[in-house]
Amino acid sequence: MNHSSNSPLQATDATAAAPATGTATSRTIDSKTRRKVIAASFIGNFVEWFDYAAYGYLAVTIAAVFFPSDDPQAGLLMTFGVFAISFLVRPVGGFIWGHLGDKIGRREALSWSILLMTGATFCIALLPGYASIGFGAPLLLLALRLVQGFSAAGEYAGASAFLVEYAPANRRGLYAAVVPASTATGLLFGSLMAAGLTGLLSSGDLESWGWRIPFLLAAPLGLIGRYIRTKLEDSPAFVEASESSAPESSPVGSLLKNHWRQLVQAAGAVLLNAVGFYVILSYMPTYLSEELGLDATRSYLATTVALLTYVGFIFLTGMLSDRFGRRRVLISASILFVLFTVPAFMALESGNFLVIVLVQILLGAMLTLNDGTLPSYLAEMFPTKVRYSGFAVSFNLSNALFGGTAPFVATLLIATSGNVLAPGWYLMAAAVVSLVAVACSVETSRKPLA
């Protein structure tokens, strides 16, 4: 990512060096280092979510490749089931990567997580299908998705903590917004590639080799990301905390013993992000095409517009959270979802493409209020010595239980109830839980990093 010298993501060295800024460091940080930190944080999450987009947007094709073809809906459910099961290892990954990140450093943990994640993604592209090896195909797919889920558990949390610890105190929200922006950009490119592949290739070519292309791209991107990360120093906050006293012998143990209230609040706050992100930005093309009958290309196009809206608004949300506080912005997001989610899904039923696009823009903009604020909010909730662990455990626990399962639950709710509005009600319920969790927490943006 290139930023001009007057970019809002940059600050003067004097600002960065001043202890009063609350950055928990007196070290001077130049703008070149910050640009490298931003690039390193961006690329890892981009690769991760490019993969998830490819899997989600090509779910119908992947179902045909890896599962028996006699029952398409069952195959789609099993495809989303593999997607959901891969999230079950995320809490385990959160504990391990959090421990490593708090014990040996953010940079080291992030360098290894991206290598493992992109390696598994690349291997998916090489898998044979159900027609070649039967049930061995979905089992191999599941094994690699489990490796992806484990390694990805350290990405979002680690990158957010890294950015917050490098950022000036009054711009932590803006800097941390790079992380959700990178996830949405990955989804956007995944959506564009899926739309291009489905539009240019026949269904036979798409099932034969076309679906493999997005997964093959992971290897070069991952190697670039790892290279950038290995050239960085660890965050100043982590370095100073390590110099002042020895790292926690068991960061996760300290987290569970001394910061369990913040952990519960953080996990609840993540719920809207977990369900909303996957329903609105990953599951929606399948919902529009399979449940509402919109053709696949127009479904991808509508979601692409939502992603563009999301990326466009995410940095604005980061700045708003710096100015007005994390709690106020997060509470506003939850209230908007409680009020407008079900009406928005009712509007989607119209089948009018312009209406569908406008609804996608509305949902994407509402989601940015939560997602653009959440990374800085979670990072600020925990002290430096357990920050990676606190973020990783809370974020991955909610995503394992409710995020990765969202497409599966949405499909299952529609299948069992016959009500195409079911995903909207599910998303509204998640917003209520997040509203309560954030309302019970304290404002974090005005405090120095501990």
Side-chain angles (χ1 to χ4, degrees):
M1 293 175 64
N2 294 321
H3 300 282
S4 61
S5 59
N6 59 356
S7 166
L9 283 172
Q10 294 183 29
T12 63
D13 293 347
T15 301
T21 61
T23 57
T25 179
S26 58
R27 285 172 167 78
T28 298
I29 308 169
D30 58 60
S31 58
K32 183 179 180 181
T33 298
R34 281 205 171 97
R35 284 197 297 270
K36 289 182 179 178
V37 170
I38 290 167
S41 301
F42 185 96
I43 194 168
N45 284 280
F46 172 86
V47 173
E48 176 188 347
W49 295 102
F50 179 79
D51 158 66
Y52 278 99
Y55 190 93
Y57 296 149
L58 295 173
V60 175
T61 300
I62 291 173
V65 172
F66 285 96
F67 295 97
S69 59
D70 54 339
D71 188 344
Q73 188 178 46
L76 187 60
L77 275 172
M78 285 187 283
T79 300
F80 284 136
V82 169
F83 185 87
I85 291 171
S86 70
F87 275 71
L88 296 181
V89 298
R90 283 205 165 201
V92 178
F95 279 104
I96 293 174
W97 291 114
H99 176 88
L100 292 173
D102 287 327
K103 189 88 170 173
I104 65 174
R106 285 56 163 135
R107 185 196 68 171
E108 199 69 19
L110 286 168
S111 296
W112 283 104
S113 69
I114 192 173
L115 191 64
L116 191 61
M117 180 183 64
T118 54
T121 303
F122 178 77
C123 288
I124 287 177
L126 308 179
L127 289 180
Y130 180 86
S132 299
I133 60 172
F135 282 104
L139 289 176
L140 288 172
L141 176 65
L142 175 60
L144 289 173
R145 294 295 298 182
L146 289 172
V147 174
Q148 284 180 315
F150 172 80
S151 55
E155 272 296 321
Y156 199 100
S160 298
F162 207 48
L163 283 164
V164 163
E165 291 174 350
Y166 261 105
N170 62 341
R171 293 179 177 175
R172 295 196 299 245
L174 176 60
Y175 271 67
V178 168
V179 178
S182 67
T183 66
T185 305
L187 283 174
L188 175 60
F189 275 80
S191 174
L192 290 172
M193 178 159 283
L197 290 172
T198 55
L200 295 173
L201 300 179
S202 66
S203 59
D205 287 340
L206 191 61
E207 291 181 13
S208 175
W209 56 269
W211 69 271
R212 301 176 187 273
I213 295 175
F215 299 95
L216 289 170
L217 294 175
L221 292 172
L223 291 174
I224 292 170
R226 176 172 167 79
Y227 176 80
I228 296 174
R229 290 176 178 185
T230 57
K231 299 302 178 182
L232 289 170
E233 293 184 2
D234 221 317
S235 74
F238 176 80
V239 171
E240 286 205 352
S242 300
E243 290 176 349
S244 63
S245 61
E248 294 280 358
S249 59
S250 175
V252 174
S254 177
L255 174 72
L256 297 175
K257 180 180 178 180
N258 302 316
H259 307 283
W260 63 269
R261 287 185 179 85
Q262 294 97 311
L263 189 62
V264 172
Q265 290 168 349
V270 172
L271 197 62
L272 176 55
N273 161 272
V275 177
F277 190 88
Y278 289 99
V279 168
I280 296 171
L281 299 180
S282 180
Y283 167 70
M284 191 61 76
T286 302
Y287 176 78
L288 292 174
S289 61
E290 296 298 305
E291 307 298 342
L292 301 186
L294 195 68
D295 70 84
T297 301
R298 285 158 72 90
S299 299
Y300 290 133
L301 180 60
T303 302
T304 298
V305 172
L307 285 165
L308 286 169
T309 303
Y310 184 98
V311 175
F313 277 103
I314 204 79
F315 290 111
L316 175 60
T317 298
M319 289 188 284
L320 287 174
S321 75
D322 283 330
R323 181 170 182 179
F324 298 107
R326 319 293 183 226
R327 286 180 76 251
R328 189 176 298 180
V329 178
L330 288 171
I331 287 172
S332 298
S334 294
I335 291 173
L336 287 172
F337 271 101
V338 170
L339 294 176
F340 295 114
T341 300
V342 173
F345 272 78
M346 292 174 68
L348 290 175
E349 287 188 278
S350 70
N352 184 293
F353 183 67
L354 178 60
V355 171
I356 289 172
V357 170
L358 291 174
V359 169
Q360 290 272 69
I361 290 173
L362 171 66
L363 291 172
M366 285 164 50
L367 189 61
T368 61
L369 289 174
N370 178 271
D371 292 4
T373 307
L374 198 64
S376 52
Y377 171 80
L378 293 176
E380 292 165 347
M381 286 188 76
F382 304 98
T384 300
K385 291 199 170 186
V386 296
R387 179 167 296 121
Y388 203 139
S389 296
F391 196 132
V393 171
S394 60
F395 186 79
N396 287 293
L397 186 62
S398 282
N399 272 279
L401 295 176
F402 302 101
T405 60
F408 179 84
V409 170
T411 304
L412 185 62
L413 286 173
I414 293 171
T416 55
S417 69
N419 185 353
V420 294
L421 297 179
W425 289 106
Y426 184 52
L427 182 50
M428 188 180 79
V432 172
V433 175
S434 289
L435 176 61
V436 173
V438 175
C440 292
S441 67
V442 299
E443 179 56 51
T444 60
S445 63
R446 313 302 182 209
K447 301 187 303 180
L449 295 181

